[in-house]
Amino acid sequence: MFKLRGHHLFCLLGYRGMGYSQEYVENMTRLHRTLRNNPKTLIQFVKGPDQLCEKYPNSGEYHCQNEHIYERDAVILAKMGLEIGQILKWEDIESRIRKHVIPSDIQVVCETCSWRSFGVCEEGIREIHDGKGLREVQ
Ligand code: SF4
């Protein structure tokens, strides 16, 4: 089982192997691959820093404790009818995304994120709607 904060559910959809450091990318790629290969993997929703934040590099600003990131987590969980502490299979999270999320939500929910302009997160949501699941990352 993995422990994830709300906004990382969306980040995983747009993940294409880019990240803050090599260690961060290796960790995220491992998680992403596990979910892709086994969509029945369990996820527990946590408040604040999670198993991806653990590998956020020490250099530079540590944004994982920023208030607006907590707000983003809360908005995303509420949007999908999810709560802190709840445990769901990844495939059920994908179902919730199909039911409650549209690609343009990224423009609003993730307005201040520096990765947003790449367009990959919106693309990831579109692919979930198309029933494609997570995209393969090399
Ligand atoms: S725009 Fe940023 S916060 Fe939003 S899903 Fe993409 S990477 Fe995550």
Side-chain angles (χ1 to χ4, degrees), residues 7 10-11 72 106 110 113 115-116 121:
H7 82 274
F10 282 9
C11 301
R72 184 180 298 157
I106 292 286
C110 305
C113 178
W115 300 99
R116 181 176 54 82
C121 303

Side-chain angles (χ1 to χ4, degrees), residues 7-14 20 72 76 106 109-111 113-117 120-122:
H7 82 274
H8 280 158
L9 304 177
F10 282 9
C11 301
L12 282 159
L13 307 178
Y20 302 103
R72 184 180 298 157
I76 287 172
I106 292 286
V109 178
C110 305
E111 192 190 353
C113 178
S114 56
W115 300 99
R116 181 176 54 82
S117 58
V120 288
C121 303
E122 286 189 64

Side-chain angles (χ1 to χ4, degrees), residues 65-77:
Q65 292 280 16
N66 282 2
E67 201 178 313
H68 75 271
I69 304 286
Y70 276 77
E71 281 167 18
R72 184 180 298 157
D73 292 330
V75 167
I76 287 172
L77 290 183

